[in-house]
Amino acid sequence: MRNHSAHIMFVWEVFSLAYIITLTNQKGGVGKTTTCSSLISGLAAQNKKVLGIDLDPQGNLGFSLGIEIDDCPTIYDAMKNHSSLTEIIQHTDFGDIIPSNILLSGAELEFNRAGREFILKNLIASVENDYDYIIIDTPPALNILTVNAYVASDALIIPMAPEILSLLGVSQLKETVDTVKKFYNNHLEVLGILLTRYNSRLNLSKEVCEMAENIASQLDTHVFDTKIRTGVAVAEAPAHGESVLTYAPKSNPAADYTHFMNELTDKISAIRN
């Protein structure tokens, strides 16, 4: 009877943890931050407890959701052990956010102690019971910040614009993902490739979609059914401190991100059940 109770408690503990997703692509301008802010605000609107973590020294995620990133403690302070993670969480109308700023740009040199790949994972352990989802935005690079995100995560989503250079960035992710899975986080999986800035009328978009399917197979994943269309609201929303879902809910990108969020949560439910 004691063993049975222990087993039930173990199952409850496993599934009470947040599901941690990292948005990644070493190519910039592919929609990582827009996708992060849309997922955070969209899931929060569904009454999910969501934490967004900005690991990009540019600080675009916090800025996009209305945070004054230069006058507040950031993820850098927590990673340097100057603050606890709970002390730097900012509560917004769109979910909880841990911002970043340019101080994080020295991470590769500053975070040089043994076990540096696990800094973020160890920090998140203090709050992961408080959330349903943790969404991590990463810099357009494969550096120690990106590796920290991979080590801490359950899954990766790879936003990709319909252009050849974006494709090259995705193909170079495979080696890093394989290394992290081998040495640091063997349950990490790639949930899929998300095509952004998509225009179905362009031949290039169709060609890139076909090539993305080939890359997805190399990563043992797939291309999400939802494609995120282009729209001026995507560029305008950050200036207003909102995600595109709240700034322009009737726009094409907002509709697409809503569909994507539903596709994603269905996939995660299937994985966890």
Side-chain angles (χ1 to χ4, degrees):
M1 183 68 179
R2 181 178 301 169
N3 290 338
H4 179 66
S5 299
H7 175 70
I8 291 176
M9 182 175 294
F10 172 76
V11 171
W12 169 253
E13 288 174 353
V14 168
F15 287 99
S16 65
L17 300 179
Y19 194 79
I20 304 172
I21 303 170
T22 285
L23 280 292
T24 183
N25 190 327
Q26 70 186 86
K27 175 73 171 62
V30 297
K32 289 191 300 291
T33 300
T34 299
T35 302
C36 276
S37 63
S38 298
L39 285 176
I40 292 164
S41 63
L43 290 167
Q46 293 184 354
N47 295 317
K48 301 296 184 182
K49 296 177 181 178
V50 188
L51 174 65
I53 300 177
D54 195 351
L55 276 191
D56 188 343
Q58 296 179 78
N60 289 338
L61 180 61
F63 175 82
S64 296
L65 294 176
I67 293 173
E68 180 53 61
I69 63 173
D70 292 323
D71 191 29
C72 66
T74 68
I75 188 64
Y76 173 81
D77 296 288
M79 295 181 83
K80 291 285 287 184
N81 291 323
H82 296 161
S83 303
S84 69
L85 209 62
T86 54
E87 290 173 328
I88 63 174
I89 292 174
Q90 297 208 27
H91 307 288
T92 77
D93 293 338
F94 313 108
D96 288 355
I97 307 295
I98 293 177
S100 172
N101 61 29
I102 196 64
L103 291 175
L104 198 58
S105 60
E108 199 70 39
L109 296 176
E110 292 189 58
F111 303 147
N112 54 16
R113 63 185 184 269
R116 66 181 189 151
E117 297 86 0
F118 295 90
I119 295 173
L120 184 63
K121 180 179 178 65
N122 292 336
L123 288 171
I124 287 176
S126 65
V127 300
E128 61 184 329
N129 278 319
D130 300 330
Y131 295 97
D132 299 308
Y133 294 95
I134 296 176
I135 311 294
I136 304 173
D137 196 10
T138 56
L142 295 176
N143 57 20
I144 191 59
L145 294 173
T146 309
V147 170
N148 261 262
Y150 290 9
V151 172
S153 294
D154 296 298
L156 308 178
I157 294 173
I158 304 172
M160 193 187 81
E163 56 187 39
I164 299 302
L165 291 178
S166 182
L167 274 174
L168 294 175
V170 174
S171 64
Q172 293 166 3
L173 282 172
K174 178 173 170 52
E175 183 177 349
T176 303
V177 172
D178 289 345
T179 299
V180 169
K181 290 181 71 170
K182 182 176 180 180
F183 294 106
Y184 306 115
N185 179 6
N186 61 12
H187 74 267
L188 180 69
E189 65 176 313
V190 181
L191 283 182
I193 293 173
L194 174 67
L195 290 175
T196 61
R197 291 165 39 195
Y198 191 76
N199 185 339
S200 61
R201 292 172 293 182
L202 298 179
N203 288 333
L204 179 60
S205 292
K206 297 174 183 177
E207 293 171 7
V208 169
C209 188
E210 293 174 1
M211 288 186 282
E213 292 283 1
N214 292 331
I215 291 175
S217 65
Q218 296 174 30
L219 292 166
D220 194 25
T221 188
H222 75 298
V223 177
F224 285 104
D225 291 336
T226 307
K227 313 293 189 290
I228 310 300
R229 288 170 287 179
T230 56
V232 67
V234 170
E236 293 176 345
H240 296 267
E242 297 185 51
S243 79
V244 69
L245 292 181
T246 56
Y247 173 72
K250 295 182 180 180
S251 66
N252 286 338
D256 295 339
Y257 272 118
T258 298
H259 290 145
F260 170 63
M261 185 173 58
N262 293 333
E263 182 181 355
L264 177 64
T265 53
D266 286 347
K267 184 175 180 66
I268 292 171
S269 295
I271 290 171
R272 302 197 82 170
N273 296 330

